[in-house]
Amino acid sequence: MNKKYTIKDIALLAGVSKGTVDRVLHKRGKVSDTALKKVTAILETIDYKPNLIAQNLKNNKTYHICVLLPDPNIDNYWQRCKIGILNASQDFEPFNVIVSIIEFNPQFTESFVENHQKALKQNPDAVLLAPLFYKEAQTAITDYKNLNIPVLTFNNQVTPITADGFVGQDLIQSGRVAARLFETTIRSGHITIIHINEDISNAKHMQEKESGFRTYFESKEENAFKISTLHVEADKLHALLTNYLENNTDTKGLFITTSKSYLVAETLEALRINDITLVGYDLLDLNVKYLNSGHITYLINQNPKHQAHLGVTSLAEHLIYQNKISKTTYLPLDIINSENVKQYITN
Amino acid sequence: MNKKYTIKDIALLAGVSKGTVDRVLHKRGKVSDTALKKVTAILETIDYKPNLIAQNLKNNKTYHICVLLPDPNIDNYWQRCKIGILNASQDFEPFNVIVSIIEFNPQFTESFVENHQKALKQNPDAVLLAPLFYKEAQTAITDYKNLNIPVLTFNNQVTPITADGFVGQDLIQSGRVAARLFETTIRSGHITIIHINEDISNAKHMQEKESGFRTYFESKEENAFKISTLHVEADKLHALLTNYLENNTDTKGLFITTSKSYLVAETLEALRINDITLVGYDLLDLNVKYLNSGHITYLINQNPKHQAHLGVTSLAEHLIYQNKISKTTYLPLDIINSENVKQYITN
DNA sequence: TTGAAAGCGCTAACAC
DNA sequence: GTGTTAGCGCTTTCAA
């Protein structure tokens, strides 16, 4: 029988008081050798698990988690992150965890720095942040560490970073997923990787995806593909791509490394091109529209909502239950086509 | 300021005792009109949310959830379900929820009936079951309903079923996902749907997938595909398929509606056929092996682990927090290729 | 009909 | 060092 033991039971068995048992369990010292031995002896024979509920009932302190992320109004990608954060926030409300969201402008490092200061002032018990800017993020993390505040990063993995953990995706592998999709869909031919630069903060992201993409093909014995790379500013994309496609009529695939693949789809639609396989990222409304129209063949879901949710959950459980924060958590790389997109959006 | 109100606060504000407030909150009657009015007046002005933790601390009754599923040793598909159940079980251990797993033999209806009786004897507070056999499942559900025990079904959606809810996948849509995968990979040609019958319990499953698969192509303006269907017993598959492929050299795709696609891959490997696109279901070890070797092109993940986890979670939260059990929960239809399979297995 | 009081399991302050 | 005690928020019993 696996009876549920309580502190009271242990105290009774060991012939000491609850207080002593508590001191032993929490290694708070001030316990005689004999008492210590008696209690540990009991603890070894039974399977004692503290009642986490009761533990937290007493703890009427409220925990404060601060999340630092880009303003979804400036970059829509972050909207779903915000939803994930709000959901997680609700989950932990009964445990007296409050989550405050601070938004910065992803176009300016100054905005990040400034809002990081704002976060510091709130004196949070834990911080979740999107380390868009390498240097500034590093400094911010050091600030928190000095104050002994646990920090978790998400979405952008910047190594070597000194945060307590990271939640996100393996971007190299994500490039390989795209590569394999092209391999099965077009089998051979010319594929162009398009990096759409809106702001510098994405550079690392895009580069890793390209690296995974290329090495996938390079590691094959026979490589039937020709790979090119194109860097474009969002506002010049239409003109440049139109021109590019005219000069590269052998183009069979386009791999867009950011969430702006709808911009490319718009161009293809305008040019009435239907025979190019387009693989991009993220379930933005506009991307989904073009996925359904067939202009985008596959989207890889970076699952921002789940990332953020997991980040908050991980920190909350660390605060409440003293759970360890795992160093690296990689989320699945979801492959989305027109037929399975619905469930990913509604969930 | 959104202060956290407690029953004590309300009692103080209303000038009554905690007991009375509690009676009002739980509509247990035995409250005078005046007291009732005073308390409800207060409740309307403030935002009171009971502390779920404290609520459950008192509840030293343990909840018992019973899960009825096929023996994973007989059909390996259910192994990951079991893991999901055990995980969820751990999550709710602190809340005094115990989960017992009862396994039946999916090859015999009698085994289901017999084990259902075993479950009944345990007098559980809630039941999660895989309704493999329509008629017998229906009877079982009625039994539980008569005893006022909430029942959730998972994995197999059998309509019209009278359970309180269902967790699983949209199988029609799942067939459409496969169809779209073939459309992008082979563009045109002959595809054969293979139903591998091990036992009758899968019939409905396979039929729905086929239906979704076919209607996807039928709804297109121009249909470049020829679709055939093949029913095979597992032990006769190799011989029959070898023969079939000899007589149907135009075969470009094979869609396997069960988790046994590795059997087909074995045959293709033996015949040294590499140019047939194979789409199957589920991340069984053997399937993953052939996914990595390239004999299987895509797998659709039915996510048994998540299904079962969600089922147990949903029931546990119903018992603990009186959460409603949602009528239908559809999980995402994950598309898996050799490059993203890893994250799905380890998570 | 109502308030007072005990107690769920755990923690922490406080006497001894 | 150690036991006792009060209290976290809520439920439930019991007297009044």
Side-chain angles (χ1 to χ4, degrees):
Chain A
M1 267 309 285
N2 44 7
K3 179 191 182 323
K4 274 229 164 194
Y5 287 93
T6 70
I7 287 203
K8 197 170 149 191
D9 295 324
I10 300 171
L12 232 56
L13 287 167
V16 297
S17 74
K18 294 196 296 171
T20 306
V21 176
D22 187 69
R23 278 183 281 262
V24 173
L25 285 171
H26 292 80
K27 305 195 169 78
R28 282 214 221 82
K30 312 205 172 188
V31 181
S32 68
D33 247 22
T34 42
L36 183 84
K37 268 175 199 148
K38 277 193 287 185
V39 174
T40 41
I42 302 289
L43 284 175
E44 270 160 23
T45 52
I46 65 162
D47 174 38
Y48 170 71
K49 284 179 195 156
N51 181 327
L52 300 175
I53 295 175
Q55 213 158 29
N56 268 87
L57 180 57
K58 184 66 191 180
N59 247 344
N60 60 349
K61 75 171 100 115
T62 59
Y63 298 107
H64 181 191
I65 297 175
C66 198
V67 185
L68 207 54
L69 90 164
D71 187 343
N73 295 320
I74 298 172
D75 184 345
N76 192 242
Y77 169 78
W78 302 94
Q79 187 52 48
R80 295 182 64 77
C81 277
K82 203 168 164 181
I83 294 173
I85 295 164
L86 294 173
N87 284 356
S89 161
Q90 277 194 324
D91 292 350
F92 290 100
E93 211 202 73
F95 295 88
N96 283 329
V97 174
I98 61 168
V99 178
S100 64
I101 299 181
I102 299 184
E103 294 166 5
F104 62 89
N105 186 331
Q107 294 156 332
F108 306 111
T109 55
E110 302 81 36
S111 173
F112 176 83
V113 173
E114 188 181 302
N115 282 286
H116 156 57
Q117 291 302 331
K118 211 188 274 181
L120 267 181
K121 281 216 192 71
Q122 293 194 355
N123 193 31
D125 299 296
V127 174
L128 177 68
L129 66 84
L132 250 52
F133 309 107
Y134 178 70
K135 231 185 81 195
E136 289 75 12
Q138 197 62 271
T139 315
I141 290 167
T142 312
D143 287 349
Y144 295 121
K145 295 275 84 182
N146 287 341
L147 292 165
N148 244 320
I149 298 172
V151 194
L152 192 58
T153 57
F154 77 109
N155 197 74
N156 301 62
Q157 189 174 24
V158 205
T159 44
I161 209 143
T162 49
D164 298 285
F166 165 75
V167 181
Q169 289 189 325
D170 182 338
L171 297 178
I172 303 262
Q173 194 61 33
S174 147
R176 294 179 60 90
V177 171
R180 173 69 182 152
L181 286 173
F182 280 108
E183 187 178 45
T184 50
T185 17
I186 64 181
R187 312 251 156 110
S188 66
H190 184 190
I191 305 173
T192 302
I193 303 171
I194 304 184
H195 298 304
I196 304 178
N197 297 30
E198 320 111 87
D199 47 68
I200 41 159
S201 56
N202 269 322
K204 174 102 183 172
H205 243 82
M206 302 187 304
Q207 181 202 316
E208 295 206 331
K209 287 170 183 168
E210 169 163 358
S211 148
F213 191 79
R214 284 184 178 273
T215 48
Y216 178 83
F217 291 117
E218 284 160 10
S219 65
K220 294 272 154 175
E221 280 177 34
E222 37 189 328
N223 181 358
F225 291 91
K226 175 180 153 198
I227 317 277
S228 322
T229 304
L230 212 59
H231 284 266
V232 204
E233 305 285 323
D235 51 352
K236 292 175 196 136
L237 176 74
H238 182 68
L240 209 141
L241 184 60
T242 305
N243 183 268
Y244 181 86
L245 290 174
E246 268 171 28
N247 295 318
N248 293 272
T249 49
D250 64 340
T251 305
K252 295 184 72 181
L254 294 174
F255 173 40
I256 321 301
T257 54
T258 67
S259 57
K260 310 285 183 199
S261 46
Y262 63 88
L263 292 174
V264 177
E266 276 168 10
T267 300
L268 293 184
E269 188 184 33
L271 298 174
R272 300 192 191 286
I273 295 178
N274 291 308
D275 57 351
I276 288 185
T277 297
L278 182 50
V279 175
Y281 281 90
D282 294 320
L283 305 181
L284 305 189
D285 289 348
L286 277 168
N287 284 342
V288 171
K289 177 189 146 194
Y290 284 109
L291 189 69
N292 286 322
S293 76
H295 291 95
I296 295 178
T297 317
Y298 290 104
L299 287 170
I300 296 172
N301 181 21
Q302 312 208 59
N303 220 333
K305 188 174 144 195
H306 193 184
Q307 282 188 28
H309 188 106
L310 216 58
V312 172
T313 302
S314 173
L315 288 174
E317 293 186 336
H318 172 70
L319 294 173
I320 302 174
Y321 304 130
Q322 288 85 48
N323 278 8
K324 273 205 193 63
I325 297 174
S326 58
K327 203 70 194 159
T328 309
T329 309
Y330 282 138
L331 295 188
L333 300 151
D334 303 318
I335 298 171
I336 313 293
N337 71 11
S338 57
E339 300 310 307
N340 72 342
V341 66
K342 197 177 139 204
Q343 272 83 2
Y344 282 95
I345 293 178
T346 53
N347 274 350
Chain B
M1 266 305 285
N2 44 7
K3 178 191 182 325
K4 275 227 164 193
Y5 288 93
T6 69
I7 285 203
K8 197 172 149 190
D9 295 324
I10 299 171
L12 232 56
L13 287 166
V16 297
S17 74
K18 295 196 295 172
T20 306
V21 175
D22 187 71
R23 278 182 282 262
V24 173
L25 285 170
H26 293 80
K27 304 196 170 78
R28 285 214 218 81
K30 310 204 174 188
V31 181
S32 68
D33 246 23
T34 42
L36 183 85
K37 268 177 200 147
K38 278 193 286 185
V39 175
T40 41
I42 302 289
L43 284 175
E44 271 160 22
T45 52
I46 65 163
D47 175 38
Y48 170 71
K49 284 179 195 156
N51 181 327
L52 300 174
I53 294 174
Q55 212 158 29
N56 270 88
L57 180 57
K58 184 63 189 182
N59 248 345
N60 60 349
K61 76 173 103 124
T62 58
Y63 298 108
H64 180 192
I65 297 175
C66 198
V67 185
L68 207 55
L69 91 163
D71 187 342
N73 295 321
I74 297 173
D75 184 345
N76 193 242
Y77 169 78
W78 302 94
Q79 187 53 47
R80 294 184 65 76
C81 277
K82 202 168 166 182
I83 294 172
I85 294 165
L86 294 172
N87 285 356
S89 160
Q90 277 193 324
D91 292 350
F92 290 99
E93 211 202 73
F95 295 88
N96 283 330
V97 174
I98 60 167
V99 178
S100 64
I101 299 180
I102 299 184
E103 295 166 5
F104 61 88
N105 186 331
Q107 295 157 330
F108 306 110
T109 54
E110 302 80 38
S111 174
F112 176 82
V113 173
E114 189 182 302
N115 282 286
H116 156 58
Q117 292 302 331
K118 211 189 272 180
L120 267 181
K121 282 216 192 70
Q122 293 194 356
N123 193 30
D125 299 295
V127 174
L128 177 68
L129 65 84
L132 250 53
F133 310 107
Y134 178 70
K135 230 184 83 195
E136 289 74 11
Q138 197 61 271
T139 315
I141 290 168
T142 311
D143 287 349
Y144 295 121
K145 294 275 85 182
N146 287 340
L147 292 164
N148 244 319
I149 299 172
V151 194
L152 192 58
T153 57
F154 79 108
N155 197 74
N156 301 62
Q157 189 174 24
V158 204
T159 45
I161 210 144
T162 48
D164 297 286
F166 165 75
V167 181
Q169 288 188 324
D170 182 338
L171 297 178
I172 302 263
Q173 194 61 34
S174 147
R176 295 179 60 91
V177 170
R180 173 69 181 153
L181 286 173
F182 279 108
E183 187 178 47
T184 50
T185 3
I186 64 182
R187 310 245 160 113
S188 66
H190 184 190
I191 305 173
T192 302
I193 304 170
I194 304 184
H195 298 305
I196 304 178
N197 298 30
E198 320 110 86
D199 48 69
I200 42 159
S201 57
N202 267 322
K204 174 101 182 173
H205 243 81
M206 304 188 302
Q207 180 202 317
E208 295 206 333
K209 288 170 183 167
E210 170 164 357
S211 149
F213 190 79
R214 285 183 177 271
T215 49
Y216 178 83
F217 290 117
E218 284 160 10
S219 66
K220 294 271 156 176
E221 281 175 34
E222 38 188 326
N223 181 357
F225 291 91
K226 174 182 153 197
I227 317 280
S228 323
T229 304
L230 213 58
H231 284 267
V232 203
E233 305 287 322
D235 51 352
K236 292 175 195 135
L237 176 75
H238 182 69
L240 208 143
L241 184 60
T242 305
N243 183 268
Y244 180 86
L245 291 174
E246 268 171 29
N247 295 317
N248 293 271
T249 49
D250 62 341
T251 305
K252 295 185 72 181
L254 294 174
F255 173 40
I256 321 301
T257 54
T258 67
S259 56
K260 310 284 184 200
S261 46
Y262 62 87
L263 291 175
V264 176
E266 276 169 8
T267 300
L268 293 185
E269 188 183 33
L271 298 174
R272 300 192 192 285
I273 296 178
N274 290 308
D275 56 352
I276 288 184
T277 297
L278 183 50
V279 175
Y281 282 89
D282 294 320
L283 307 180
L284 306 190
D285 289 348
L286 278 168
N287 284 341
V288 171
K289 177 188 147 195
Y290 284 109
L291 188 70
N292 285 323
S293 76
H295 290 94
I296 294 178
T297 317
Y298 290 106
L299 287 169
I300 296 172
N301 181 20
Q302 312 208 59
N303 220 333
K305 189 173 143 195
H306 193 184
Q307 283 189 26
H309 188 106
L310 215 57
V312 173
T313 302
S314 174
L315 287 175
E317 294 187 337
H318 172 71
L319 294 173
I320 303 173
Y321 304 130
Q322 287 84 49
N323 278 8
K324 272 206 193 61
I325 297 174
S326 58
K327 204 69 194 160
T328 309
T329 309
Y330 282 137
L331 294 188
L333 300 152
D334 303 318
I335 297 172
I336 313 294
N337 70 11
S338 58
E339 300 310 306
N340 72 343
V341 64
K342 198 178 139 204
Q343 272 83 2
Y344 283 95
I345 293 177
T346 53
N347 273 349

